[in-house]
């Protein structure tokens, strides 16, 4: 299909606009003193990580650092990134409170110079993106993971929109494209041995913004050698 240069520029401008708006939204949310999703790690992530030998872990879209700091207390070498400077400040404060250190970068994933096959684990916890970012980020998650490495994933499913109608306190994106299905995870990670993959109704109690009954997709996959 022929795409005019002007159309491409318009598309790029819209993407930049979305990025700026997202950044403002998340900085506003994280400006408050309280931790938006609490200081304790996500329970699915905790359960999975506690069974593994420490190595290098990457936490994309890590917000205020609850999962990164937990991993660091278990002696993982922790890298994290996000688009929110306020999130980074809170994460570094939480790391200090726990006497650990984490390497936290700000920016768009493709612009951050992580090495290919750098990580033993990449953990995506409520990392929600519009379609164009999903297309950019997911192939890169695969590239940055070592062969034999693990993806640990929990995110709201597309069915969470129904739960959110009855219970707005559950949180999660309104944009259906930013939510997940099990098929989507299968196709993102099609070269993986699936250890766990399910859509599940769960009860969350995570800080101010994830409370009550909701629907998530959970995935644990091992990159094939
Ligand atoms: C629901 S929060 C989850 C935070 C953290 N993972 C947790 O579970 O506490 C979603 C995070 O995605 C980040 N985010 C949104 N768009 C992003 C993008 N394009 N690149 C990186 N992070 C992004 C936001 O700044 C926010 O911190």
């Amino acid at each position: 299909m022929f795409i005019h240069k002007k159309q491409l520029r318009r598309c790029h401008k819209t993407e930049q606009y979305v990025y700026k708006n997202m950044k403002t939204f998340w900085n506003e949310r994280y400006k408050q003193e309280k931790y938006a999703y609490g200081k304790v790690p996500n329970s699915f992530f905790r359960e999975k990580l506690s069974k593994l030998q420490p190595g290098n872990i990457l936490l994309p879209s890590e917000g205020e650092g609850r999962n990164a700091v937990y991993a660091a207390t278990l002696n993982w070498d922790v890298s994290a990134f996000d688009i929110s400077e306020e999130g980074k400040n809170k994460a570094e404060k939480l790391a200090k409170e726990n006497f650990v250190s984490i390497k936290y970068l700000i920016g768009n994933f493709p612009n951050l110079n992580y090495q290919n096959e750098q990580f033993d684990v990449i953990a995506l916890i409520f990392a929600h993106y519009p379609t164009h970012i999903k297309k950019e980020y997911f192939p890169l998650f695969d590239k940055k993971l070592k062969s034999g490495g693990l993806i640990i994933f929990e995110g709201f499913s597309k069915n969470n929109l129904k739960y959110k109608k009855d219970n707005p306190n559950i949180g999660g994106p309104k944009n259906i494209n930013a939510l997940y299905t099990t098929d989507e995870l299968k196709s993102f990670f099609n070269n993986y041995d699936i250890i766990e993959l399910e859509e599940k109704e769960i009860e969350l109690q995570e800080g101010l913004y994830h409370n009550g009954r909701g629907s998530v997709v959970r995935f644990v996959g091992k990159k094939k050698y």
Side-chain angles (χ1 to χ4, degrees):
M1 192 178 57
F2 177 75
I3 301 180
H4 201 275
K5 264 190 187 164
K6 253 190 186 168
Q7 267 176 306
L8 260 181
R9 265 204 301 274
R10 208 175 303 137
C11 207
H12 189 59
K13 271 195 174 161
T14 314
E15 286 171 9
Q16 279 179 328
Y17 179 76
V18 170
Y19 180 84
K20 259 187 153 176
N21 269 352
M22 292 294 279
K23 199 176 170 72
T24 308
F25 173 86
W26 287 105
N27 273 333
E28 283 301 314
R29 173 158 291 189
Y30 294 148
K31 242 183 209 164
Q32 60 188 324
E33 200 173 325
K34 280 200 172 162
Y35 278 65
Y37 303 102
K39 292 182 172 180
V40 296
N42 167 267
S43 62
F44 178 71
F45 172 69
R46 183 179 50 205
E47 185 209 317
K48 300 301 164 197
L49 200 75
S50 62
K51 292 180 185 142
L52 302 174
Q53 284 301 317
N56 286 318
I57 186 169
L58 175 67
L59 290 129
S61 303
E62 180 43 13
E64 298 164 311
R66 60 189 178 128
N67 303 309
V69 168
Y70 171 69
T73 62
L74 297 184
N75 292 322
W76 285 79
D77 184 336
V78 180
S79 298
F81 74 89
D82 202 287
I83 54 172
S84 165
E85 291 86 359
E86 296 288 345
K88 180 184 184 197
N89 294 341
K90 301 261 290 280
E92 285 177 343
K93 194 169 156 214
L94 189 60
K96 229 179 184 177
E97 275 173 29
N98 285 274
F99 307 102
V100 294
S101 70
I102 57 175
K103 291 169 265 182
Y104 196 125
L105 300 180
I106 293 294
N108 228 349
F109 191 30
N111 302 335
L112 304 174
N113 289 326
Y114 296 115
Q115 287 160 25
N116 290 344
E117 305 237 336
Q118 184 176 339
F119 298 103
D120 299 291
V121 172
I122 298 184
L124 295 150
I125 305 300
F126 298 113
H128 291 279
Y129 315 110
T131 308
H132 71 278
I133 306 253
K134 279 184 179 176
K135 277 190 190 150
E136 221 178 14
Y137 278 25
F138 276 85
L140 270 185
F141 294 142
D142 175 55
K143 267 202 181 147
K144 305 299 170 187
L145 190 67
K146 290 179 187 169
S147 295
L150 285 186
I151 296 283
I152 300 174
F153 175 99
E154 180 172 79
F156 288 111
S157 81
K158 295 201 191 279
N159 285 319
N160 192 58
L161 289 180
K162 292 179 214 143
Y163 288 80
K164 199 174 153 89
K165 236 183 179 179
D166 294 338
N167 167 32
N169 293 336
I170 187 58
K174 287 184 265 196
N175 173 4
I176 192 149
N177 296 322
L179 295 160
Y180 293 98
T181 63
T182 51
D183 280 348
E184 212 177 358
L185 267 292
K186 256 192 226 166
S187 85
F188 286 146
F189 300 113
N190 58 13
N191 56 336
Y192 285 61
D193 289 321
I194 297 177
I195 297 169
E196 192 172 326
L197 176 61
E198 63 175 346
E199 180 171 339
K200 200 175 180 194
E201 180 183 286
I202 47 143
E203 198 71 40
L204 288 178
Q205 276 194 325
E206 299 190 316
L208 303 171
Y209 294 101
H210 283 168
N211 287 295
R213 194 158 295 202
S215 171
V216 294
V217 170
R218 289 175 166 174
F219 171 75
V220 180
K222 187 171 181 173
K223 185 171 170 178
K224 288 184 182 164
Y225 287 95

